[in-house]
Each structure stands twice: as C-alpha cells, then as structure tokens.
Amino acid sequence: MSDAEMTVFATLADLTQLVSGDRGLYVRWSRGPSPDLGSVSSRDDLTGVPLPGLSVNSLDVADWWGERPVHVWVARRLYDYSHLPRLKGAFTRPWVLRGVETGRGPDNEPLVNEVVPLGWIEPSVIAEANEVITSLPGSWGPVCRHNGF
C-alpha cells in the first residue's frame, strides 16, 4: 500500500474507536511510511546514533487509566508530541501503525519494527486533541525541549 492509499483518520472519534478495540498501536511523526520503511531505523537527534527500530509513541491505553474516557487518552498522546512538525519540518505528519517493540530510545520512547502502516492522522484530529486537552482543568504543554536548562 502506498502512502497515498492509506486510510485517513479524520476525527478523534475514528482514532479512538481504533485504539479502543486494538493493542500494539503507535503513532509516528515523520514524512510517512514510504521514507521510513526502507531501513526501519531512526536516529537519535542529539548524537546521530542509529536506533534499532522506528521511534514511536504508544497509543495503547495503560491499565492505570481505568474507566476514564479513551478519547482523552488518545488526545493526550497526540497533544504531547504535536510540536514535532514545527521542530522537524512542515512535511512531518502523524500516522498510525502496528509494530513490535525492539527496545527503547534515549527518551524512553518505544522503538518498533515489523511495522504495518494503518493510516494518516488528519490535522483536524490534532486540533480536536488540542481542544480536549486545553479544556481540562490541569495545566501542561506538549513535550518540547528548548535550548538550555
């Protein structure tokens, strides 16, 4: 399947339905499966060291989340890394995949291989996720590093 033929998740509800019924799902922020699946490897941005798998973020709902709304879990997983297109370039997009963990990267993120692309996540879903998270009473921002300590 080419990148252009992938399913498109157009709403947070669509993505939440997928996450609610499956495990082993991840989101990756990159140019897409075609460029990534040639080597199925990422590089540590800080050191340039090749990593044994694609750097991803899990969409699986943690057991401790209990009966809380799954859409809030999914929104948080997207919101936490929504800054990546600003840092890595305009062609960086989120996409959903199934994979097998091979280890952990330098930021303790899962590294996966045996990747099966499942679909693109539309920008409208990221906007929905931002609305969900910013409407909550807590205060936090997306995971984002700045120069300095």
Side-chain angles (χ1 to χ4, degrees):
M1 167 186 343
S2 73
D3 290 1
E5 296 171 324
M6 282 200 327
T7 297
V8 175
F9 294 96
T11 67
L12 185 59
D14 291 341
L15 187 55
T16 298
Q17 183 177 6
L18 176 71
V19 171
S20 294
D22 208 346
R23 304 242 352 131
L25 302 177
Y26 301 88
V27 62
R28 174 151 169 86
W29 296 78
S30 72
R31 291 179 175 252
S34 292
D36 288 349
L37 297 181
S39 66
V40 192
S41 175
S42 297
R43 286 196 175 275
D44 175 26
D45 286 340
L46 183 62
T47 64
V49 172
L51 303 171
L54 294 180
S55 177
V56 296
N57 301 105
S58 178
L59 289 172
D60 291 350
V61 179
D63 291 339
W64 58 262
W65 188 250
E67 298 299 317
R68 294 172 182 88
V70 175
H71 81 280
V72 174
W73 176 269
V74 174
R76 170 94 189 254
R77 302 307 297 153
L78 297 175
Y79 180 84
D80 283 349
Y81 295 93
S82 63
H83 66 285
L84 289 176
R86 290 189 303 278
L87 293 179
K88 295 184 175 280
F91 294 107
T92 299
R93 299 173 57 188
W95 53 284
V96 180
L97 60 102
R98 180 174 285 106
V100 176
E101 281 193 42
T102 60
R104 292 283 170 159
D107 296 319
N108 202 34
E109 76 279 15
L111 302 172
V112 299
N113 63 19
E114 299 183 37
V115 172
V116 177
L118 299 178
W120 293 106
I121 299 172
E122 281 289 304
S124 59
V125 178
I126 304 306
E128 278 186 80
N130 289 341
E131 288 176 19
V132 167
I133 297 306
T134 58
S135 73
L136 296 173
S139 175
W140 69 82
V143 177
C144 185
R145 292 189 178 94
H146 301 283
N147 291 338
F149 294 95

